[in-house]
């Protein structure tokens, strides 16, 4: 039986994603030199500058400015640095302000991986389900892999859960292929 608290949390997040006003996207971007400095500080070795860069990214994202730099440049650096809490938080906030497919898929993938790295397996499973539901069809195999990993980590005593899930996915895929071939 699904956890009602997790279901409510998933529904609240999904509702928030769907109800964002387009007016929120009219956020003025910061100057390019400030973005470049933040990117350089984030990748640098000075811990104080790195922490300030992380805080700056949080500020921009929470203010509604979501650049492709978030998932193309900053998230990989944050993951490599072990800043999993920041990755998970920035990813979720970014999704709320930029709900397009170009952003949702990579951000949710980063969120899943960050939550798994933190050992927050139940939360990672919720994020993996969101990724599975929101990703483009070309990312479906990756979504199945992420869900399988999260299921295995969430249910370590159930050796069949991943096999059953993958079999169900294969049957659904075979059924869809057979029905599309029928005139």
């Amino acid at each position: 039986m699904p956890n009602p608290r997790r279901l409510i949390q998933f529904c609240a997040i999904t509702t928030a994603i769907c109800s964002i006003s387009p007016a929120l996207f009219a956020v003025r971007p910061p100057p390019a030199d400030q973005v470049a400095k933040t990117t350089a500080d984030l990748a640098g070795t000075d811990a104080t500058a790195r922490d300030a860069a992380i805080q700056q990214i949080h500020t921009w994202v929470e203010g509604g400015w979501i650049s492709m730099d978030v998932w193309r440049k900053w998230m990989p650096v944050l993951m490599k640095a072990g800043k999993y809490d920041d990755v998970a938080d920035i990813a979720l906030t970014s999704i709320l302000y930029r709900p397009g497919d170009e952003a949702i898929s990579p951000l949710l993938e980063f969120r899943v991986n960050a939550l798994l790295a933190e050992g927050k397996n139940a939360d990672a499973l919720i994020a993996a389900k969101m990724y599975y539901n929101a990703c483009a069809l070309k990312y479906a195999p990756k979504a199945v892999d992420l869900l399988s990993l999260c299921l295995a980590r969430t249910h370590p005593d159930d050796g069949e859960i991943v096999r059953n899930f993958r079999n169900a996915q294969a049957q659904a895929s075979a059924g869809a292929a057979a029905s599309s071939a029928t005139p």
Side-chain angles (χ1 to χ4, degrees), residues 148 151 158-172:
S148 297
L151 284 168
D158 186 352
E160 293 295 312
I161 194 164
V162 173
R163 184 177 298 119
N164 291 341
F165 171 69
R166 286 191 175 275
N167 286 341
Q169 294 302 303
Q171 289 173 353

Side-chain angles (χ1 to χ4, degrees), residues 16-35:
I17 290 171
C18 295
S19 65
I20 293 177
S21 167
L24 293 175
F25 300 109
V27 177
R28 187 176 186 162
D33 60 334
Q34 189 177 7
V35 175

Side-chain angles (χ1 to χ4, degrees), residues 48-82:
T48 304
R50 187 178 329 117
D51 290 343
I54 292 169
Q55 187 54 49
Q56 181 62 65
I57 293 167
H58 276 284
T59 301
W60 285 334
V61 168
E62 290 164 7
W65 183 73
I66 315 299
S67 164
M68 287 188 287
D69 289 338
V70 172
W71 61 92
R72 289 190 175 170
K73 295 178 182 177
W74 301 334
M75 291 292 193
V77 173
L78 290 170
M79 285 293 291
K80 188 175 179 181

Side-chain angles (χ1 to χ4, degrees), residues 32-53:
D33 60 334
Q34 189 177 7
V35 175
K37 181 183 179 333
T38 300
T39 302
D41 288 348
L42 185 65
T45 57
D46 181 1
T48 304
R50 187 178 329 117
D51 290 343

Side-chain angles (χ1 to χ4, degrees), residues 79-159:
M79 285 293 291
K80 188 175 179 181
K83 301 289 189 176
Y84 306 124
D85 279 334
D86 290 310
V87 170
D89 292 344
I90 291 170
L92 183 59
T93 305
S94 297
I95 290 165
L96 294 175
Y97 282 103
R98 189 164 178 174
D101 184 51
E102 81 286 349
I104 287 178
S105 292
L107 289 167
L108 279 173
E109 184 178 356
F110 276 113
R111 182 168 169 77
V112 170
N113 289 321
L115 291 169
L116 285 172
E118 289 184 300
K120 296 179 178 178
N121 299 325
D123 292 336
L125 180 58
I126 291 169
K129 289 176 185 178
M130 291 171 66
Y131 178 75
Y132 179 87
N133 288 327
C135 73
L137 191 56
K138 66 182 177 182
Y139 299 119
K142 185 185 289 187
V144 170
D145 290 343
L146 279 175
L147 264 171
S148 297
L149 177 60
C150 292
L151 284 168
R153 294 228 185 134
T154 306
H155 303 281
D157 298 333
D158 186 352

